[in-house]
Structure formats: structure tokens, C-alpha cells
Amino acid sequence: MAKTWLITGTSSGLGRELTEQLLKRGDRVAATLRRPERLAELAGDYPDTLWVGELDVTNGEQARTVVDRAWLDLGHIDVVVSNAGYGLFGAVEEVSDADIRRQIDTNVVGAVAFIKAAVPHLRAQGGGRVIQVSSMAGQMAAAGMSLYHLSKWAVEGFVEALHEELEPFDIHTCLVEPGSARTEFGGGSMVIGERLAAYDDTPAAKIRGRRERSRESIPGDPSKMATAIISAAEAPTLPRRLILGSDAHRLIVNSIHARLDEAYAQQHTAALTDADDYAPAASH
Ligand SMILES: NC(=O)c1ccc[n+]([C@@H]2O[C@H](COP(=O)([O-])OP(=O)(O)OC[C@H]3O[C@@H](n4cnc5c(N)ncnc54)[C@H](OP(=O)(O)O)[C@@H]3O)[C@@H](O)[C@H]2O)c1
């Protein structure tokens, strides 16, 4: 049966791919984006199933209004996809305070505001699914990407907690963790801080070559990624995390292994700081 989706950041990349694939198979899509004119042609092709709303996710008031209007016009929305985002790169000394604020406003506060606006509607209709496009960068970290990691680790923690918080309302969440993909992410969308010569021969400088990466060296096919997200969203049980791309899988597994090894190694020393009369509650 056809489903209804609400998606942010549908002008290009994964959001656009999702929108096009869903419309093609007969689903309804409430597509939101900063510049609605970018979907004008698609709106002409799908006058009955494409609903378009203007949304800059950094505008909390606009998020509430657009989400409310989407529910009012469409009645029921099965899947909400918080996808809008971009990467701010450079060593921490190289990025401006304003750039840091914008990264967090978009990738973190924007995602939270959008999902927060959708939750009362999902609850009122008796449930639904929330998909947050995170990144492999939400499970590992590398020099020159600290602010992007900050934003994606933040949404990982947010959605991880929502999983338990919203389950009683039959609302289920999924964190999508793509690796590098052939979208605008590494091109026009990417923001890089001003070069500081001191970092030239350090690992943080590697990020500067990112814009020059050849297409063939980027593994992720956005079309296949969108198809995988749609399949996961429709599975009887929504996966809590969806890793997309061989690079993402390798880097996430390596990162988790390293953190797990370190955590196991501290099992005994961690307990040394427990109070002498500590009596663990049954649930801990
Ligand atoms: N491609 C990758 O390598 C990769 C890897 C892991 C995760 N991701 C994540 O995937 C998601 C989608 O990115 P993409 O790869 O599809 O890149 P993209 O082609 O650059 O698309 C990003 C989308 O986000 C929108 N956006 C940015 N800031 C916004 C704002 N303030 N309000 C509303 N929309 C905004 C952009 O709209 P405008 O056209 O208005 O700028 C665009 O529609 C992001 O969350 C990104 O972090 C990407």
C-alpha cells in the first residue's frame, strides 16, 4: 500500500533521490527544502502526490509550521526523514565561531526541531517511523572533521535515546549511517575553514583534498542508498542503525573495536572508584 513520507533537504543528494524514487513507485511525499523552486519540475510531474513546503531547518518556527501544515493537508504521515545537513571541515582552529554555530544549528538543532515538531502528530495518529540521516561520522572520528563529528555524534545520542522514549507510542527510529556518497556533500555543500599553515603537515590537512576526489574514488551511489533506506523503512522491524557503504562499514567496525578494547581493558580500574557501600540496583 502507498505510504506518505515527510523529508527535509530534498533539493539534492539523498533527499532528492528518496523523493524521486518514492514518487515513482506511487507513494506521497511531503518534500521540504530551502528553495521550493528547485522541485518545480517534479511538482509538475506529480501534482497529486508531491507536496512541497519551504523549510530551512535552522528556523524552528518554520519547522513547526511546515510540519503542522503537512499533517493538516495530508492527514497521515508514515515515515519522517530528517535528512538535511552538510559538513564543516578543517582543524578546530581553522573554523570560525559563526561556522561552528551554523553547523550545530543545521545538523543538530535543526534535526531536533524537525523531529520534535513531528512527534505529537505521530503520537496522535498512533505511531510511525522516524529516520535520521546521520553518517559513518557519527560512529568514528578523524582529524579535520571534528565539528562535523560533533554534530553527527550528537544526533546519534539524541536518536538513540528517542528509541526508548518513543517506543511506548509505537514510534520507531533508525539512524542511517552512510559512508562517502556521490552527492553535493563533498562539492558545493561542503564548508572548509580558512587554512592555517601550522596544520599543513598534519592529518587535519588531508581533508583539504576532499573536493578534488575523483568520482570513482567515492563509493556511495546515492540512488542505491535511497533504495536501501526505503527498504529498511518498510521492513517489519525498523533497524536501529543502517550502515550504507563498504567504507562506512569498515570504519565503523574499526572504531567500535578500538573503543570496545579500551573499555574492556578498564573493567577493573573503573570499579575502583565505586563507593565502599555501593549496592547496585537490580536494573543497573
Ligand atoms: N554524501 C556523503 O558523503 C554523506 C555521508 C554521510 C552522511 N551524509 C549526510 O546525508 C545527508 C544528506 O546529504 P547529501 O549527501 O545528500 O548532500 P547534499 O546533496 O549536499 O544534500 C544536502 C541537503 O541538505 C539541505 N540543507 C542543508 N542545510 C539546510 C538547511 N539549513 N535547511 C534545510 N535544508 C538544508 C541541502 O539544501 P540546499 O540545496 O538548500 O543547500 C540539500 O538539500 C546529510 O545529513 C549529510 O550529513 C552524507
Side-chain angles (χ1 to χ4, degrees):
M1 210 180 84
K3 288 196 161 48
T4 305
W5 303 63
L6 170 62
I7 309 171
T8 63
T10 56
S11 66
S12 66
L14 292 175
R16 176 77 183 224
E17 271 295 337
L18 279 171
T19 302
E20 289 187 11
Q21 287 188 25
L22 291 166
L23 289 170
K24 225 172 256 168
R25 60 179 220 156
D27 283 4
R28 288 194 303 175
V29 181
T32 70
L33 68 172
R34 288 194 279 199
R35 290 163 290 165
E37 65 275 13
R38 294 194 62 183
L39 288 186
E41 208 180 311
L42 207 57
D45 294 342
Y46 297 95
D48 301 327
T49 49
L50 175 60
W51 182 101
V52 178
E54 182 175 339
L55 176 59
D56 179 330
V57 296
T58 63
N59 183 336
E61 186 59 45
Q62 196 179 40
R64 273 189 298 277
T65 308
V66 166
V67 169
D68 288 352
R69 204 159 51 76
W71 248 282
L72 194 68
D73 290 351
L74 300 169
H76 186 100
I77 294 172
D78 303 282
V79 187
V80 168
V81 186
S82 167
N83 162 73
Y86 72 97
L88 168 63
F89 299 119
V92 68
E93 281 194 86
E94 295 175 320
V95 294
S96 73
D97 292 353
D99 280 345
I100 294 171
R101 229 167 245 125
R102 196 166 76 84
Q103 175 77 121
I104 296 167
D105 276 352
T106 307
N107 292 11
V108 183
V109 184
V112 173
F114 173 68
I115 292 173
K116 186 169 183 243
V119 166
H121 295 285
L122 291 166
R123 239 179 353 93
Q125 72 183 19
R129 293 186 164 189
V130 176
I131 293 178
Q132 172 65 51
V133 180
S134 172
S135 169
M136 64 179 172
Q139 290 249 45
M140 44 71 69
M145 295 174 56
S146 62
L147 282 316
Y148 184 59
H149 287 305
L150 166 78
S151 75
K152 292 301 185 181
W153 283 62
V155 291
E156 291 261 338
F158 172 62
V159 174
E160 180 89 24
L162 284 192
H163 175 80
E164 196 184 355
E165 196 169 303
L166 299 180
E167 215 171 22
F169 306 107
D170 208 15
I171 302 170
H172 303 277
T173 63
C174 173
L175 282 155
V176 176
E177 298 170 334
S180 293
R182 300 174 186 185
T183 66
E184 290 305 310
F185 182 85
S189 301
M190 181 175 183
V191 178
I192 306 189
E194 208 168 308
R195 176 179 155 259
L196 206 61
Y199 287 91
D200 281 356
D201 298 319
T202 73
K206 270 195 291 189
I207 202 72
R208 296 193 172 275
R210 203 180 160 118
R211 268 210 187 101
E212 281 72 53
R213 271 180 86 175
S214 70
R215 195 176 151 73
E216 294 70 33
S217 72
I218 300 172
D221 177 338
S223 168
K224 290 184 181 178
M225 286 178 161
T227 306
I229 294 169
I230 295 168
S231 299
E234 293 195 319
T237 304
L238 184 67
R240 289 184 65 167
R241 286 191 162 77
L242 179 67
I243 301 175
L244 301 176
S246 54
D247 55 341
H249 193 267
R250 177 172 41 83
L251 291 166
I252 288 173
V253 167
N254 288 348
S255 167
I256 292 174
H257 267 307
R259 282 186 279 145
L260 207 52
D261 287 349
E262 194 170 28
Y264 276 131
Q266 294 181 21
Q267 191 171 1
H268 299 295
T269 51
L272 294 177
T273 57
D274 290 351
D276 292 340
D277 60 352
Y278 169 55
S283 62
H284 289 125

